[in-house]
Each structure stands twice: as C-alpha cells, then as structure tokens.
C-alpha cells in the first residue's frame, strides 16, 4: 500500500507536466509562430517530367510582439525560389545560351515586417513590408487550404504577395473595413526602382449579415516606362464568401489591365470553391479556377480543378489526398499534402 501511494505521488507531477506540455496556446502579447507545408505529387500522364516528386511548398517562421495596447510589430520570413532567368537575348533579340547558377530554390526572404499603430478603435496605421490586401490578408485564410494550394490570384501572380509601403485601416467593428495603401510596386524582392512610381490601392470589406463577407479591391500603378510597349496597370477584384464553423463557400472575379505593365496584355478570370466539415475531423473540398490571358495577338484560356478530402488528426496538423487537373497540356495529378502550424 505504501509503495502504491509513493508511486501515485511520484506520478502526479509527471502527469501535470504532460498536461501542461499539451497546452499549445500562445502568449497574446508575444509569441513565435511557423508553418510547414509539404507533400508528394504523382502525375497520371508520363509525358509530364518529373512524373513523381516530393514537394516543399512553404516554410514560414515569424515573431509577434505587442508593445502596448496601441502598438505592435510582426516580422515573418518565408522560403521560396527568389531568382530565375527564363531567357537571355543579345542586342539583336537573338536567344543566347549561357551557364549560370541561380542559387537555392528554397531561399529565405523577408515576407513581412510590419509596425502597426492602432490610433483609436476606428483607425490604424501600418508601415514597413506589408502583406497585400489584394488576396493574401483575407482570401487566403478564408480558403483555408493553403497547404494544398495557394488562392487563385497568388497562383497566377495577379499581384505581389507583399510590398514596402504604408497603409491606413478604417474599421467599424466587424461590419466594415476600408484599407488604403501606397507601396513601391516592386514586390518583396526588390527596392524601389529609379522612376520612383508607386502603386495606390484601396480594399473595402463589408459584412452585411453574419458569416457573409463582400470584398472589393482596386489598385493603380502608372507605367514603369514611357515606350509604347508599356502602359498603366490597374486591377479590379471582387470576392464574396459565406463561412461557418462547418461550411465555407466563396467566389471571386479578377481583372488585370496591362499585366506586368505590358500594353494590351490583360489577365481576367474567376475562382469558386467550397469546403465542408462533414464529420468529425474530415473535410471535403473542391475548387475551380478559370483564367483568360489576352494579348493583341492571341487569347488563351486555362482551367484548374481541385477535389479532395482533408483529415486533421491533431489540431493545426492537416493532411489531404486530392486530385488536380490542369487543362493546359491536359495534366491530371494525385497529391498527398501535409500542413503544420505552430
């Protein structure tokens, strides 16, 4: 009896420590965070090379610190392919064959470094490297399956994920949000160019009823060059989504005039998606992207489909088996996707 009691008394601290270790809640004032998204792909057509591959989609590490109720800072590093040369031509326009080393395809870069000042309950100022309100601050978390694939606008590069600049937020509780920003326009990998031209954007989000959000985004960037090949670029994007704890459905339409400031090159398209937590830890999800690329010489259309299941064995750890089809080259794939947040 005495031995049993001694064992129980010895076991209680161990049990308490184990229970404490399972508490993954973060300090609200300061905490580190991270994301790991990876998976495996198998092409159902052997004409696509490599037919099978392990993939690393994203690795993020960051830190948040709340200095006071009004002032906070967040810094975040991502990993991606930051250098690439598609082609090199000589002064006559002829292609040249060169040998170069592009660096790692998994280079860490500064994705976000934001200082936020909540001036009052309605107005906030953000400065630094800011995430783009075009798609990353709202559509991305609304979609909720980034570890499977990024959202429509990010996948087809309809805007930069982040940029250096300043942003004013006007917010009325959870009903209305207006975000006006001025950024360099060069994205997260480059400094402002010698012309010093900015991109001006405005993002409006309205929640007229519970669980429903309507979002309208627009931006304008003057031409980066005065030659006839370049023109002013502007973007218009509309999104509508309805989301509960068990169900989500969303759709967006996007138009980019003079994509990449190239005169007469327009991108437009839509994306519709849905997810349903139909039982316990299981979700079913589907998505359809349609993209049209129009140039003075031609018009191309692309469709992309995702259908799959998600299983979340532990909170913040998600797994998925999904089928994807890309109409360009008629490519079908089977994916096993894994996502971890901490």
């Amino acid at each position: 009896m005495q031995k049993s009691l001694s064992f129980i008394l010895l076991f209680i601290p161990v049990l308490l420590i184990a229970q404490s270790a399972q508490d993954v809640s973060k300090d609200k004032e300061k905490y580190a965070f991270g994301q790991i998204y990876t998976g495996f792909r198998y092409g159902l057509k052997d004409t696509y090379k490599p037919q099978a591959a392990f993939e690393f989609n994203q690795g993020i590490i960051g830190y948040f610190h709340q200095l006071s109720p009004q002032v906070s800072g967040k810094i975040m590093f991502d990993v991606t392919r930051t250098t690439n040369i598609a082609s090199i031509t000589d002064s006559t326009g002829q292609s040249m064959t060169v040998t170069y080393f592009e660096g790692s395809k998994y280079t860490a870069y500064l994705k976000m470094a934001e200082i936020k000042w909540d001036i009052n309950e309605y107005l906030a100022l953000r400065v630094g490297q800011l995430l783009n309100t075009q798609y990353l601050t709202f559509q991305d978390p609304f979609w909720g399956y980034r570890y499977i694939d990024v959202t429509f606008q990010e996948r087809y590069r309809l805007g930069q994920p982040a940029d250096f600049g300043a942003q004013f937020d006007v917010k009325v509780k959870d009903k209305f949000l207006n975000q006006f920003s001025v950024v360099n326009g060069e994205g997260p990998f480059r400094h402002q160019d010698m012309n010093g031209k900015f991109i001006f954007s405005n993002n409006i989000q309205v929640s007229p009823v519970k669980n429903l959000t309507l979002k309208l985004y627009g931006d304008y960037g003057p031409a980066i060059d005065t030659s006839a090949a370049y023109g002013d670029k502007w973007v218009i994007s509309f999104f509508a989504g309805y989301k509960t704890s068990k169900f989500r459905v969303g759709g967006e339409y996007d138009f980019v005039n003079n994509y990449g400031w190239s005169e007469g090159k327009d991108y437009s398209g839509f994306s519709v998606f849905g997810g349903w937590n139909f039982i316990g830890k299981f979700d079913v999800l589907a998505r359809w992207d349609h993209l049209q690329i129009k140039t003075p010489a031609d018009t191309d259309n692309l469709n992309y489909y995702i259908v799959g299941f998600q299983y979340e064995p532990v909170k913040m750890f998600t797994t998925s088996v999904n089928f994807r089809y890309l109409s360009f080259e008629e490519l079908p794939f089977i994916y096993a996707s894994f996502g971890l947040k901490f």
Side-chain angles (χ1 to χ4, degrees), residues 233-250:
K233 180 179 76 73
W234 55 267
V235 176
I236 189 74
S237 171
F238 175 74
F239 175 85
Y242 185 84
K243 184 177 183 179
T244 69
S245 61
K246 294 289 187 179
F247 174 79
R248 76 191 70 184
V249 61

Side-chain angles (χ1 to χ4, degrees), residues 93-107:
Q94 297 296 317
S95 297
M96 299 174 61
T97 300
V98 298
T99 300
Y100 78 102
F101 179 69
E102 65 171 327
S104 171
K105 288 182 171 61
Y106 305 103
T107 301

Side-chain angles (χ1 to χ4, degrees), residues 197 220-234 257-266:
K197 295 181 178 180
Y220 169 78
I224 59 176
D225 195 286
T226 57
S227 67
Y230 295 91
D232 295 351
K233 180 179 76 73
W234 55 267
N257 180 72
N258 293 335
Y259 178 88
W261 289 275
S262 298
E263 182 67 37
K265 186 176 184 179
D266 301 334

Side-chain angles (χ1 to χ4, degrees), residues 189-259:
F189 306 122
R190 300 176 180 88
H191 293 294
Q192 173 68 296
D193 66 15
M194 296 301 293
N195 295 320
K197 295 181 178 180
F198 297 123
I199 287 182
F200 303 87
S201 70
N202 195 47
N203 179 61
I204 300 173
Q205 294 171 208
V206 181
S207 298
V209 297
K210 185 180 179 181
N211 302 324
L212 174 66
T213 302
L214 306 177
K215 180 178 182 292
L216 178 65
Y217 171 91
D219 71 38
Y220 169 78
I224 59 176
D225 195 286
T226 57
S227 67
Y230 295 91
D232 295 351
K233 180 179 76 73
W234 55 267
V235 176
I236 189 74
S237 171
F238 175 74
F239 175 85
Y242 185 84
K243 184 177 183 179
T244 69
S245 61
K246 294 289 187 179
F247 174 79
R248 76 191 70 184
V249 61
E252 65 178 290
Y253 173 79
D254 310 288
F255 181 84
V256 182
N257 180 72
N258 293 335
Y259 178 88

Side-chain angles (χ1 to χ4, degrees), residues 160-175:
Q160 296 284 1
D163 211 336
F164 298 94
Q167 176 181 309
F168 277 101
D169 295 356
V170 179
K171 184 178 181 181
V172 180
K173 297 184 179 179
D174 296 326
K175 296 295 184 180

